[in-house]
Amino acid sequence: MTSDLDLRSPQRQSIELQIEHADLNALIDQLNQQPTVDELRIRRLKKRKLALRDEITRLQWLLEPKEPA
């Protein structure tokens, strides 16, 4: 049985954020293909995408083994 801790592990969070990041990327590409482009919406989506990238990077830093000094 999976515990709540397993569902919120940094590795699982990182995977979920990577999926959301890819979904946003696809949505931004799709919106850019439309004849009328909602620039404000695209800017907001790109800002969210960058925030996700920062969070993914932070989680990956937590997951990677630290090298001894």
Side-chain angles (χ1 to χ4, degrees):
M1 179 167 263
T2 306
S3 71
D4 287 340
L5 184 58
D6 293 338
L7 294 175
R8 299 312 314 158
S9 72
Q11 185 174 17
R12 172 123 183 174
Q13 287 177 328
S14 178
I15 292 168
E16 289 173 357
L17 292 175
Q18 288 175 22
I19 292 168
E20 186 178 351
H21 186 272
D23 289 346
L24 277 175
N25 205 30
L27 178 58
I28 290 167
D29 287 345
Q30 183 181 20
L31 290 173
N32 277 323
Q33 300 294 326
Q34 294 181 353
T36 57
V37 178
D38 185 350
E39 292 294 333
L40 180 59
R41 183 173 182 205
I42 291 174
R43 267 191 306 224
R44 288 177 176 160
L45 291 171
K46 286 181 177 181
K47 189 173 183 177
R48 172 70 180 141
K49 192 173 100 168
L50 286 173
L52 286 173
R53 176 55 54 199
D54 290 344
E55 185 63 14
I56 291 166
T57 301
R58 185 188 71 79
L59 288 170
Q60 288 176 342
W61 183 82
L62 289 174
L63 292 169
E64 291 177 9
K66 311 297 182 279
E67 295 198 23

